[in-house]
Amino acid sequence: MNNRKNAGLRLLLLAAALLILYAVSLLLGRYPTPGLTSPAVLRGDRMAQLILTSIRLPRCTAAVLLGAALGCGGLVFQLIFANPLVEPGFLGISQGAAFGAGLAILLGGQALLQIQLFAAAAALAGLALSYFLAQRLRFGGWLLRLLLAGIAVSALFSAGLGFIKTVADPLTQLPELSYWMLGGLSGITAQQLLKALPAIVLPMLILFTLRWRINILSARDQSAYSMGLNPKAGRLLILCLAVIPVAAVTALSGIVMWVGLIVPHLARKLFGADASRSLPGAILIGGIFGLVCDNAARLLFPGEIPLGIMTALLGVTLFIIILTRPETEQTC
Amino acid sequence: MLSRNAFELENISFSYNSRKIISRLSLTIPAGSICAVMGPNGCGKTTLLHIMLGWNKPEHGRVFAAGQELADLSPRTRGQLISLLPQTENLSFDYTVMEYILLGRAPHLHPLQQPGENDHNIASTALKQADALELKSRRIPLLSGGETQSTLMARSLTQEPEIMLLDEPANHLDPARRRHMLDIILRLKNQQKTVIFTTHDPESAAGLADYLVLMHADGSVEYGRFGKLFTEEKLSALYGIAVRIIDIGDGRVTVSY
């Protein structure tokens, strides 16, 4: 790939694209007329201004952060597990969040905040459980054990969620539950977003500053150690930094699949594997991806389409395109 | 060099899954020498390298590298002192060779620092030294086995260590590349580096090593000057088969078994 030389320029272009898309998204909606609101109309319409600042602004910001956190988390996970097929929710995080939300709904939680708190707590519990189980497993190397523990814990949570579904009220609780399972950002407020903001942004900033060093953690334990790192502590630190934003956005949006899997592949296609460039690349591409999908979710039809359906549609399409292209051979 | 000795192992023991692999081993490897480690499969050659790296901690005894106790070194200092060429490596992603070997600069950089021009120059020199300059912009997943080995060698060299641990460096190499690899190791000796390598190939050890470690399947270890230990009798006992060593001149031998 000789086009890696102008990676800096391409990062800037991506950032510019994200900014423009963000600005346009703020003007897109169904009020006062479906489609783009012109700035002239906006100036004269108090209601349109209010919708822009208190509904679209937090929602579009959340969509960018959601995509960025999942893209960044996915890239880091795939590097650390040296496996291009893992996604950031697999260590019990996604299923944990779903179980937590389900439990909150079953127990009669009405307020979104309540559901989000349950989801966040259960997501982190899922991660902790995976981690401690991995330490107990008597099989394989550390990464394999984490992988196995993640699968086991996710399966436990999804069994629990299945139970919740069978006992949930099919008329009131079940629809809410399935909407949450498919993910979505409708109804998100600035207050909710601000509460989650530090947990989303700060770890990503730290990851960004450490981005070159993350590469070394993709080597085998002994090699990373020989290059002056403590691989176990290093991986734990980096995994936590990647997971916290994912847990935070998942608590806001519900389960949004495929972003964390496909965005890192796109980033590596554009920037190569070196995380110095692919990590900022994944953050920007993730932001664009999240925003595009959320725009489609809220604008394509008069009713809202669950975000998870949009990300799956677009994500899987891209996935198939990438994996069937001839130059993909042997290089993930 | 802080000490005349690259390694001093004092009375170390190590077990793996309650099987004793090394028991009460003491040895001293002088700085600037080349030491070969030989023994049957599963005797613990890689384990011994990993003990010298500090990755495996011996149950008893102490390990000194360049005069300092290995366990007391900071990871950074240790990384500047000792490098490892591993037997296998995870190479799942689409790095270029240059991007990849630059990772070897990690122990010389601060946690938030990225490799700069100086590091690129060092990496280029390392590639040249490993006879692999033409691989510079190649993509790791598309390299052949021999090219991968050269790349790992270059990564080790980029680390600019005093001591290099090489785990079967000539494995999977065709005769020409094997010769190349042995020449690289010889040149390292001229640069006063200490090289410790494991091998299943007595002939390549014969062209290189000043010292020899023989690790027996029963956990006993012999160590000494190469010429003292590299005998038909010792090698026959080591592998449990009749080994013949035939001198073909120029300090080279051929080994028949």
Side-chain angles (χ1 to χ4, degrees):
Chain A
M1 272 200 182
N2 47 14
N3 50 0
R4 278 177 196 180
K5 294 215 171 76
N6 34 39
L9 180 68
R10 272 178 298 146
L11 278 176
L12 275 178
L13 284 176
L14 268 183
L18 177 58
L19 272 178
I20 293 167
L21 184 67
Y22 180 71
V24 171
S25 302
L26 290 177
L27 296 174
L28 279 171
R30 305 208 145 259
Y31 183 89
T33 50
L36 202 66
T37 316
S38 81
V41 173
L42 196 63
R43 224 169 294 133
D45 190 337
R46 286 281 304 152
M47 187 63 173
Q49 289 170 16
L50 198 66
I51 285 175
L52 194 152
T53 53
S54 60
I55 296 179
R56 289 183 202 157
L57 188 68
R59 177 157 181 175
C60 291
T61 311
V64 171
L65 291 174
L66 171 83
L70 292 173
C72 170
L75 186 94
V76 169
F77 266 56
Q78 291 180 3
L79 261 186
I80 283 192
F81 285 93
N83 184 338
L85 291 177
V86 299
E87 55 99 23
F90 89 95
L91 284 180
I93 296 156
S94 292
Q95 294 304 326
F99 176 81
L103 198 63
I105 292 167
L106 185 71
L107 296 177
Q110 300 292 323
L112 196 55
L113 183 66
Q114 211 171 339
I115 298 173
Q116 285 169 355
L117 280 178
F118 263 70
L124 293 177
L127 176 69
L129 216 57
S130 299
Y131 187 79
F132 288 118
L133 179 60
Q135 285 189 316
R136 286 302 178 111
L137 286 181
R138 299 240 161 271
F139 176 78
W142 173 240
L143 291 179
L144 181 61
R145 289 187 313 202
L146 260 181
L147 213 75
L148 290 172
I151 291 170
V153 170
S154 296
L156 278 180
F157 275 125
S158 66
L161 186 66
F163 180 74
I164 289 176
K165 278 184 185 163
T166 58
V167 296
D169 185 330
L171 290 179
T172 57
Q173 294 171 333
L174 210 48
E176 195 178 349
L177 191 55
S178 37
Y179 188 82
W180 207 88
M181 294 286 304
L182 290 169
L185 292 167
S186 69
I188 193 158
T189 64
Q191 285 93 326
Q192 287 169 5
L193 191 59
L194 282 175
K195 275 193 198 104
L197 200 62
I200 300 172
V201 173
L202 285 181
M204 278 205 281
L205 271 178
I206 302 173
L207 283 175
F208 178 76
T209 58
L210 291 171
R211 63 196 185 281
W212 181 71
R213 225 151 247 262
I214 296 171
N215 288 315
I216 299 160
L217 294 173
S218 75
R220 296 185 77 221
D221 280 354
Q222 297 90 335
S223 306
Y225 184 83
S226 77
M227 288 184 265
L229 261 72
N230 180 341
K232 216 172 161 183
R235 289 206 178 99
L236 181 61
L237 171 75
I238 299 296
L239 279 183
C240 285
L241 288 171
V243 147
I244 290 167
V246 171
V249 294
T250 304
L252 287 180
S253 68
I255 297 183
V256 176
M257 297 289 280
W258 284 95
V259 183
L261 186 66
I262 191 65
V263 168
H265 284 264
L266 293 174
R268 283 196 300 268
K269 274 271 146 276
L270 272 176
F271 297 101
D274 189 343
S276 325
R277 292 181 299 274
S278 61
L279 186 102
I283 289 174
L284 292 172
I285 295 171
I288 293 173
F289 192 90
L291 200 49
V292 167
C293 288
D294 188 55
N295 282 346
R298 73 189 168 96
L299 296 169
L300 274 188
F301 294 101
E304 172 104 14
I305 310 169
L307 178 58
I309 292 178
M310 288 314 305
T311 58
L313 263 178
L314 188 59
V316 176
T317 309
L318 287 170
F319 191 72
I320 291 170
I321 292 173
I322 290 179
L323 289 187
T324 50
R325 279 173 64 173
E327 69 265 28
T328 296
E329 217 168 327
Q330 291 179 41
T331 62
C332 288
Chain B
M1 202 80 240
L2 293 161
S3 159
R4 284 181 48 249
N5 292 323
F7 275 112
E8 289 150 78
L9 272 54
E10 268 183 23
N11 222 1
I12 59 159
S13 301
F14 189 87
S15 314
Y16 184 73
N17 283 344
S18 70
R19 187 168 71 91
K20 202 128 215 143
I21 290 178
I22 295 165
S23 102
R24 305 202 159 276
L25 170 66
S26 296
L27 58 82
T28 302
I29 301 175
S33 59
I34 298 184
C35 174
V37 181
M38 291 172 61
N41 287 120
C43 67
K45 298 186 291 297
T46 298
T47 304
L48 181 62
L49 282 198
H50 286 171
I51 287 173
M52 291 175 171
L53 179 66
W55 172 250
N56 285 339
K57 312 271 184 281
E59 286 140 35
H60 305 288
R62 305 203 292 174
V63 181
F64 295 87
Q68 295 153 287
E69 186 151 12
L70 194 53
D72 294 341
L73 293 181
S74 74
R76 210 176 130 80
T77 317
R78 173 172 47 68
Q80 292 171 6
L81 182 66
I82 309 169
S83 77
L84 170 73
L85 185 144
Q87 211 177 112
T88 53
E89 183 54 281
N90 286 340
L91 298 162
S92 338
F93 292 105
D94 191 15
Y95 289 95
T96 64
V97 168
M98 191 62 181
E99 285 170 341
Y100 186 74
I101 67 170
L102 272 171
L103 299 182
R105 295 306 296 159
H108 298 275
L109 300 174
H110 292 287
L112 303 185
Q113 215 179 344
Q114 308 240 0
E117 205 190 320
N118 181 38
D119 302 300
H120 276 86
N121 292 339
I122 291 167
S124 288
T125 310
L127 270 176
K128 219 174 288 167
Q129 243 185 306
D131 291 321
L133 199 58
E134 76 281 1
L135 300 180
K136 196 170 176 168
S137 340
R138 292 272 301 279
R139 296 151 69 175
I140 295 271
L142 305 178
L143 297 180
S144 73
E147 290 167 337
T148 303
Q149 200 68 359
S150 302
T151 301
L152 290 175
M153 186 61 174
R155 187 188 83 186
S156 247
L157 291 168
T158 303
Q159 217 170 319
E160 295 192 309
E162 301 291 336
I163 301 167
M164 298 183 72
L165 306 172
L166 315 177
D167 203 354
E168 303 200 13
N171 226 4
H172 311 303
L173 299 184
D174 65 39
R177 283 197 172 269
R178 179 174 297 219
R179 186 66 249 163
H180 262 316
M181 185 59 87
L182 302 181
D183 289 341
I184 293 166
I185 298 173
L186 273 177
R187 265 179 268 151
L188 288 170
K189 188 188 157 131
N190 296 336
Q191 297 168 22
Q192 308 303 316
K193 307 270 188 205
T194 308
V195 178
I196 295 143
F197 71 103
T198 65
T199 184
H200 281 300
D201 174 23
E203 287 167 14
S204 52
L208 285 179
D210 308 307
Y211 292 87
L212 185 58
V213 179
L214 298 179
M215 301 186 73
H216 293 270
D218 63 2
S220 63
V221 178
E222 293 176 272
Y223 174 68
R225 285 238 160 232
F226 186 83
K228 275 235 171 82
L229 290 181
F230 196 78
T231 62
E232 291 182 349
E233 191 195 345
K234 292 277 186 198
L235 293 191
S236 300
L238 185 69
Y239 293 111
I241 52 164
V243 174
R244 285 205 55 206
I245 301 172
I246 303 146
D247 196 328
I248 54 170
D250 287 343
R252 295 187 188 192
V253 299
T254 179
V255 176
S256 145
Y257 38 85

